[in-house]
Amino acid sequence: MERRAFLNLGGAALGTMLLPPFGRAIAAEELVRPVETKFKKMLADTALTAATQAGASYCDVRVGRYLNQFITTRDLNIENVTNTESAGVGVRVIAGGAYGFAATNDMTPDGVAGAARQAVAIARANAKLQTEPVQLAPTPGVGEVAWATPFKKDWRTVPIKEKAELLIAGNKAGMEAGASFMQSLLFQVNQQKYFASTDGSYIDQDLHRLWVPFFATAVDKTSGKFRSRSGLSTPVGMGYEYLDGRKEDKFQAAGGVTTLYRNSYDLIEDARAAGKQAKQKLTAKSVQPGKYDLVLSPEHLWLTIHESVGHPTELDRVLGYEANFAGTSFATLDKWQSKKFKYGADIVNIVADKTTPGSLGAVGYDDEGVKCKRWDIIKDGVLVNYQATRDQAHIIGEKESHGCSYADSWSSVQFQRMPNVSLQAGKKQLTPDQMIKDVKKGIYIVGDGSFSIDQQRYNFQFGGQLFYEIKDGKITQPLEDVAYQANTQEFWNACTALCDERDWRMGGSFFDGKGQPSQSSIVSHGASTARFNGINVINTARKIG
Amino acid sequence: MKMLNQDDTKRITDKVLSLSKADECTVTIKGGRTGNIRYARNAVSTAGLVENTEIAISVAFGKKQGTASVNEFDDKSLEKAVRRAEDLARLAPENPEFMPTPAAVAFKSSSTFSAKTDAIDPEFRAQVAAYSIEACRKNKLVAAGFFTDESGFETIANSRGVFGHQQRTNVDFTCTVRTEDGRGSGWVRRDANDVSKFDARAASDVAIEKALRSVEAKALEPGRYTVILEPAATSDLMAYMFNSFDARSADEGRSFLAKQGGRNRLGDKLFDEQVNVWADPWHPDVPVLPWDAETMLAREKMDLIKNGKIAALNYSPFWAKKQGARAVGAPGNIVMAGGSKSTAELIASTKKGVLVTRTWYIRMVDPQSVLLTGLTRDGTFYIENGKIKHPIKNFRFNESPVTMLNNIDELGRPEILAGDESQFQLLIPAMRVRDFNFTSLSDAV
């Protein structure tokens, strides 16, 4: 799905969302039948040979089969069930020191060889404008290897009826609890990615992901007011077992205001809470603007981390490669080189990884054949590293890539994309309830809402799903019309407390847009509940007409 | 595979429709090639070409629907796809809101194809990049840009006699120019379906001029200002608003177009009476396909806002039937009436104000009032006594397009563009607007 289509999602806009019109709808038994490795290797070798014969000094080939199943619902109806399959081959080359890329859905030897030669022709045309040749950090060929997302239940084998009944049961629970309307979706993804390169790697990966968002909307027809509450699930890199809603994976938010989830999710329970809370929001107190101490739950904070740490530490942004679309970054090389740029308070430690089990970023190898790993981005509040791909590693003195290359399709060129970027838990024992006891005038925010940040990642504004007033160490009442505005560095330096690892969990994005043509990536961000002092809160209520 | 022509796609759709045993069947074929070149730091970063053609087949047994698509077009593959769609339809739950596919209508073709655009090759793309790269190198500036061209076709057909086939082309160019010290930034966007209307050199010069003028920005206090919003500053705000023109959401009480008591605002005056907006698939500057592929309904020339009043809402076939309204194809373009003044002329008649080149990272804060937040970017200037006095730091705004369209002082000459994050082709004017709400400053350049 296009990111722009997803951006229209919301309590009122979901009904207008289009599901991807293309992709081969397939019967369940066909979904689980993989393409033979031998066939993929033959196609890859054909492309590698054609590219090198045409003059490429480097070539990589991605043979992709992308399977998705989308189920959309509105109230008590299933609106759509779509199985899609998209398969094809993308060939990236370096010739004359420049990149070229071509992709085709013609999965024949002639088709992929043609694409390889086309990629070389494009590279040669680009080479005329190249000032410096592309420089790739060495990556050892790993031969023939395989990696798969660990999962217990394969979504492809769960009957559609079972999934549909779960979604409708969730919608029904939400409506019975106070929502006037419910909309829910189930996104299920399987990417079968085969990577081969002239370095001598043949990497076969089988990746599984899942997300079950919903939107509960309550309407007061007398006043004309409406309010929504979105689900508190997170998109995950695991199987259908995420929807088991196991008892041991549930716990109470601070003050018992709602139930939260980790590792598995109870859709019906959360929908019921959402229906009730959406209705409550219609009469909640409108916030008084001013400075507050914010207590931010991981279900909310993941998005702030994503926008204010994840994106600005992407090396391609820092260097200016993204200047024309999503922008550049305030976290410039001189700040990193100084070894003393205080991105945040001393307690702020942020780590990048593509290895955390169950996360969206977890893969064995990236789309350049680099084995995935974990590294520090911010250590004791200081900026210490970025996120880099093979052609950027030398710029920051790294001998190898961080493994951050990703393409969203066989037909998209791979480039630097965000790994999981997570705030490490506090080292001292602290629960969210204990954290709140020390807050005199604050707001507790649960769930992600509206988000916006400038093109260098200084000024941001975030909303949320649930807001609670904190007065003299106690949660007193729900609030509405809350958004906070801050500057990235000031915000992270205002971080005064972090809950411990018992409270650490991940949120994430299924649709992180970047690049031109725009590509959609997936990424998780972990955190424990965190406190930020003296943050500017605005009131977002307006009257029109 | 070769680009299919109308005879090819008619033969294919006829074959598919004859194979289907379902109550009804719809077929869509889309194909073409997309070329692109991307550059940054005064050098090409990526470039590519993607070719793809696919056929999607949707069938329904009663209210149960299934969809399948393939990218192979021999008889055996087509039959396999039809059977797959039928299998999926049998498995799918019944949707009480399912609506039958529409009856045949004659589609009046629109001028969406240009042979010149279709002929673009890698050398042409490289030349587009070269214009801005070379000009920036000369001026000690840094260019980053993206040029993409698309040539393809769309075919729709159904078991009730609908058939439409049309070729379309498009080019889209954006370029950001920054000073070497990062203290100035300018931007330009150009869209056209006919590449002969696109001048890479002139476009790049706009971004270069804005970059050079935006150095040494001063901070202005946040607050309410008279602003001149260039079309790229309002395109996504307008698109957000028109995405909310859904009749069902309004009738259900969950949109800004809902009224107390469960009615909608169709016919209500919600904007300044200078505001006239319509959709027209045959508009020569922003032609779009004469049908909406999702519903297979014909698009029409239709008023959306007439003299400030809500003139139309989008009805899905189901909601139209329920409410006794008529469903038409959802608009693909938005045209807004303007005046005859250029942006420069609007500036010349402004005593005090802010010129905004573009807005960025716009998100919905409150759908109740369509309150949007976002930021200015790549060229924000202070105007005094009809002249640009100096560049100013960027602002964050929290503003509703409804309020914006109520505070119009004057409209400029409409310009063609596409939004950053909208699906509409747009022809909208620059606007001078009173009391635009800037809520905080941004240090971003």
Side-chain angles (χ1 to χ4, degrees):
Chain A
M1 179 167 62
E2 284 288 331
R3 177 171 171 258
R4 69 177 58 174
F6 187 75
L7 288 172
N8 291 333
L9 282 175
L14 183 54
T16 64
M17 188 193 81
L18 300 177
L19 280 172
F22 288 115
R24 204 154 51 88
I26 35 202
E29 68 276 8
E30 267 194 77
L31 281 169
V32 291
R33 199 179 300 147
V35 178
E36 274 193 47
T37 307
K38 200 166 58 175
F39 173 72
K40 292 186 280 195
K41 187 170 188 301
M42 179 276 290
L43 285 182
D45 281 334
T46 303
L48 294 173
T49 303
T52 45
Q53 281 176 351
S57 56
Y58 168 84
C59 174
D60 58 45
V61 186
R62 288 175 298 108
V63 182
R65 182 176 182 236
Y66 293 73
L67 306 173
N68 299 296
Q69 186 179 83
F70 309 95
I71 304 177
T72 59
T73 74
R74 177 197 284 265
D75 301 336
L76 303 183
N77 300 328
I78 295 291
E79 282 196 316
N80 210 336
V81 181
T82 310
N83 284 346
T84 69
E85 176 181 3
S86 173
V89 180
V91 185
R92 183 180 69 160
V93 303
I94 298 173
Y99 278 131
F101 176 77
T104 182
N105 62 351
D106 180 356
M107 291 173 76
T108 62
D110 283 352
V112 298
R117 286 190 288 269
Q118 180 78 55
V120 174
I122 289 168
R124 289 198 191 288
N126 297 342
K128 295 169 191 167
L129 287 168
Q130 203 77 351
T131 46
E132 294 168 16
V134 175
Q135 189 180 327
L136 292 184
T139 294
V142 292
E144 294 191 41
V145 295
W147 191 90
T149 303
F151 62 84
K152 293 189 181 81
K153 285 186 195 171
D154 187 340
W155 65 259
R156 297 172 302 179
T157 62
V158 178
I160 286 172
K161 187 171 181 288
E162 186 179 322
K163 297 170 186 174
E165 283 172 354
L166 175 68
L167 294 176
I168 296 301
N171 289 1
K172 190 167 183 281
M175 290 166 84
E176 284 170 353
S180 314
F181 304 99
M182 291 288 295
Q183 291 169 291
S184 57
L185 302 95
L186 179 57
F187 293 101
Q188 302 146 100
V189 173
N190 171 224
Q191 295 186 343
Q192 298 166 19
K193 294 162 76 164
Y194 188 84
F195 173 91
S197 74
T198 45
D199 291 327
S201 290
Y202 294 90
I203 301 164
D204 204 356
Q205 298 196 89
D206 183 34
L207 311 175
H208 290 248
R209 301 184 191 115
L210 182 135
W211 187 30
V212 58
F214 71 73
F215 307 87
T217 306
V219 177
D220 177 359
K221 289 211 167 169
T222 315
S223 66
K225 198 172 179 182
F226 65 94
R227 284 290 178 264
S228 293
R229 198 278 236 177
S230 300
L232 297 174
S233 71
T234 182
V236 290
M238 60 172 81
Y240 200 77
E241 67 274 11
Y242 179 66
L243 294 173
D244 287 348
R246 293 179 295 272
K247 199 175 167 185
E248 63 269 25
D249 295 333
K250 300 176 185 182
F251 52 97
Q252 288 299 295
V257 295
T258 197
T259 305
L260 299 171
Y261 306 91
R262 178 176 35 214
N263 301 330
S264 76
Y265 175 64
D266 188 332
L267 171 71
I268 296 168
E269 178 184 58
D270 191 33
R272 190 175 297 116
K276 186 178 161 192
Q277 288 158 350
K279 195 173 178 182
Q280 279 173 349
K281 287 169 97 169
L282 293 170
T283 52
K285 181 189 166 189
S286 193
V287 73
Q288 190 68 35
K291 300 273 188 196
Y292 290 84
D293 292 354
L294 299 182
V295 176
L296 304 178
S297 79
E299 289 74 15
H300 169 89
L301 190 54
W302 75 265
L303 185 50
T304 311
I305 295 167
H306 175 83
E307 298 289 5
S308 67
V309 183
H311 279 306
T313 55
E314 291 171 323
L315 189 54
D316 58 352
R317 286 187 69 116
V318 173
L319 298 170
Y321 287 104
E322 288 292 316
N324 186 52
F325 176 51
T328 55
S329 171
F330 78 93
T332 46
L333 289 177
D334 56 303
K335 294 186 173 94
W336 162 71
Q337 282 157 340
S338 76
K339 297 191 168 70
K340 55 185 183 192
F341 177 69
K342 285 294 280 178
Y343 207 111
D346 289 353
I347 59 169
V348 173
N349 287 285
I350 292 188
V351 167
D353 87 273
K354 292 188 61 134
T355 57
T356 305
S359 69
L360 294 168
V363 291
Y365 299 82
D366 79 346
D367 283 348
E368 289 185 315
V370 177
K371 192 164 174 48
C372 291
K373 57 182 181 183
R374 175 186 161 103
W375 68 101
D376 291 325
I377 299 269
I378 295 169
K379 184 88 181 140
D380 301 329
V382 175
L383 175 68
V384 295
N385 210 334
Y386 296 102
Q387 312 153 37
T389 51
R390 287 186 70 183
D391 55 8
Q392 301 165 340
H394 65 280
I395 296 164
I396 49 169
E398 297 273 346
K399 291 189 172 60
E400 58 181 33
S401 164
H402 288 139
C404 293
S405 185
Y406 176 81
D408 68 358
S409 159
W410 56 266
S411 62
S412 306
V413 68
Q414 63 270 55
F415 71 125
Q416 197 264 296
R417 298 310 306 265
M418 202 188 297
N420 302 320
V421 173
S422 300
L423 174 65
Q424 299 307 282
K427 294 180 177 80
K428 292 176 188 161
Q429 295 265 299
L430 185 69
T431 66
D433 282 314
Q434 289 166 336
M435 182 183 275
I436 280 169
K437 272 184 188 157
D438 288 336
V439 177
K440 203 168 164 32
K441 181 196 171 193
I443 300 173
Y444 178 43
I445 304 180
V446 179
D448 57 84
S450 181
F451 56 101
S452 172
I453 190 163
D454 70 41
Q455 77 275 15
Q456 290 191 303
R457 308 272 146 174
Y458 287 109
N459 173 308
F460 60 66
Q461 179 175 314
F462 289 98
Q465 288 305 315
L466 299 169
F467 312 96
Y468 295 92
E469 182 179 58
I470 303 167
K471 244 187 189 163
D472 300 327
K474 285 199 176 80
I475 288 176
T476 54
Q477 62 179 328
L479 294 173
E480 253 308 283
D481 311 318
V482 177
Y484 63 91
Q485 285 184 358
N487 165 289
T488 294
Q489 199 184 357
E490 287 169 12
F491 176 81
W492 285 104
N493 275 281
C495 182
T496 54
L498 296 167
C499 289
D500 63 57
E501 63 187 11
R502 291 169 299 169
D503 191 58
W504 195 92
R505 55 200 179 270
M506 285 188 141
S509 171
F510 229 57
F511 300 105
D512 178 29
K514 183 182 169 185
Q516 289 175 300
S518 185
Q519 291 189 39
S520 183
S521 179
I522 64 289
V523 59
S524 292
H525 301 282
S528 54
T529 303
R531 176 179 169 177
F532 298 83
N533 283 7
I535 305 299
N536 187 41
V537 169
I538 63 166
N539 181 298
T540 60
R542 296 288 185 280
K543 279 251 178 288
I544 54 160
Chain B
M1 66 183 287
K2 75 173 179 84
M3 190 87 80
L4 301 174
N5 61 30
Q6 181 164 324
D7 291 343
D8 296 331
T9 62
K10 184 76 174 78
R11 183 186 54 78
I12 292 165
T13 56
D14 284 350
K15 174 81 186 172
V16 167
L17 295 170
S18 70
L19 285 167
S20 173
K21 296 186 178 79
D23 298 338
E24 48 183 80
C25 178
T26 65
V27 189
T28 307
I29 308 174
K30 285 184 188 178
R33 59 123 191 96
T34 304
N36 66 71
I37 188 160
R38 192 178 195 210
Y39 53 99
R41 292 167 43 122
N42 287 344
V44 172
S45 52
T46 56
L49 184 79
V50 176
E51 293 175 341
N52 203 6
T53 303
E54 289 182 308
I55 179 168
I57 299 159
S58 259
V59 302
F61 293 100
K63 291 178 179 286
K64 294 162 63 144
Q65 192 178 11
T67 303
S69 84
V70 287
N71 46 17
E72 300 155 298
F73 290 83
D74 58 280
D75 289 355
K76 195 175 162 192
S77 299
L78 292 174
E79 179 158 18
K80 191 169 64 175
V82 171
R83 300 298 161 241
R84 274 193 189 136
E86 289 174 348
D87 288 348
L88 199 59
R90 289 187 185 101
L91 283 171
E94 197 168 89
N95 178 9
E97 296 185 3
F98 174 80
M99 289 294 290
T101 189
V105 289
F107 296 113
K108 182 183 157 194
S109 66
S110 50
S111 309
T112 51
F113 180 76
S114 147
K116 281 187 176 149
T117 306
D118 182 55
I120 289 173
D121 59 15
E123 292 296 333
F124 181 93
R125 292 179 205 116
Q127 191 54 57
V128 170
Y131 284 139
S132 41
I133 290 171
E134 284 161 8
C136 284
R137 281 180 189 162
K138 249 183 252 167
N139 286 281
K140 293 196 167 13
L141 297 165
V142 185
F146 182 64
F147 174 80
T148 181
D149 56 279
E150 186 181 2
S151 179
F153 68 91
E154 185 172 295
T155 302
I156 59 169
N158 74 8
S159 47
R160 299 183 70 198
V162 164
F163 180 81
H165 172 94
Q166 196 163 298
Q167 286 178 277
R168 60 181 174 191
T169 53
N170 186 59
V171 299
D172 174 87
F173 174 71
T174 50
C175 178
T176 301
V177 174
R178 293 174 66 77
T179 57
E180 284 177 341
D181 60 9
R183 292 186 309 140
S185 183
W187 175 87
V188 69
R189 176 173 204 143
R190 294 288 181 265
D191 295 275
N193 76 325
D194 178 355
V195 73
S196 61
K197 293 179 183 171
F198 166 65
D199 183 341
R201 202 186 301 265
S204 300
D205 286 347
V206 171
I208 286 168
E209 192 217 357
K210 294 236 183 205
L212 291 168
R213 286 184 91 155
S214 64
V215 178
E216 305 286 359
K218 295 176 181 171
L220 216 59
E221 276 299 307
R224 292 186 179 273
Y225 286 91
T226 290
V227 289
I228 294 175
L229 301 164
E230 293 192 21
T234 60
S235 57
D236 280 2
L237 277 75
M238 300 276 282
Y240 259 102
M241 188 179 78
F242 284 109
N243 281 338
S244 299
F245 264 52
D246 175 57
R248 183 171 187 172
S249 299
D251 291 343
E252 289 177 338
R254 45 179 169 154
S255 113
F256 82 104
L257 293 170
K259 256 201 311 216
Q260 283 168 272
R263 288 167 301 127
N264 67 46
R265 293 182 189 252
L266 188 62
D268 288 7
K269 187 171 178 301
L270 213 56
F271 312 102
D272 185 286
E273 55 194 43
Q274 292 178 77
V275 179
N276 285 285
V277 183
W278 64 96
D280 178 4
W282 304 282
H283 195 290
D285 292 325
V286 280
V288 293
L289 292 174
W291 58 76
D292 164 18
E294 195 197 359
T295 57
M296 290 202 176
L297 292 168
R299 284 177 171 149
E300 295 180 4
K301 182 175 179 179
M302 58 195 278
D303 287 325
L304 301 173
I305 300 170
K306 183 79 176 165
N307 300 331
K309 290 180 181 169
I310 305 290
L313 296 174
N314 295 326
Y315 283 86
S316 68
F318 169 77
W319 202 248
K321 187 182 175 199
K322 191 172 189 308
Q323 302 295 82
R326 198 169 66 90
V328 297
N333 61 6
I334 289 172
V335 182
M336 181 172 171
S340 57
K341 285 185 179 176
S342 65
T343 302
E345 288 167 320
L346 286 178
I347 292 166
S349 57
T350 302
K351 195 165 169 23
K352 268 188 186 177
V354 172
L355 172 66
V356 181
T357 297
R358 68 184 290 210
T359 54
W360 157 250
Y361 218 129
I362 297 157
R363 292 292 178 270
M364 184 76 78
V365 176
D366 183 4
Q368 183 93 51
S369 59
V370 209
L371 181 71
L372 303 170
T373 192
L375 298 116
T376 65
R377 179 176 170 180
D378 299 323
T380 309
F381 303 94
Y382 180 62
I383 302 162
E384 204 171 69
N385 298 324
K387 288 196 168 62
I388 289 178
K389 203 161 179 219
H390 55 74
I392 54 174
K393 283 192 166 193
N394 285 306
F395 286 114
R396 169 172 298 286
F397 62 86
N398 275 264
E399 188 59 281
S400 167
V402 180
T403 308
M404 177 183 88
L405 294 175
N406 263 297
N407 289 344
I408 290 173
D409 253 353
E410 192 170 11
L411 298 172
R413 200 166 39 227
E415 290 176 28
I416 303 164
L417 78 161
D420 275 337
E421 291 182 323
S422 83
Q423 70 275 33
F424 298 110
Q425 294 293 308
L426 299 155
L427 182 65
I428 55 175
M431 304 176 196
R432 187 169 56 228
V433 171
R434 298 179 302 274
D435 296 330
F436 196 83
N437 188 25
F438 293 124
T439 51
S440 59
L441 274 172
S442 159
D443 288 325
V445 177

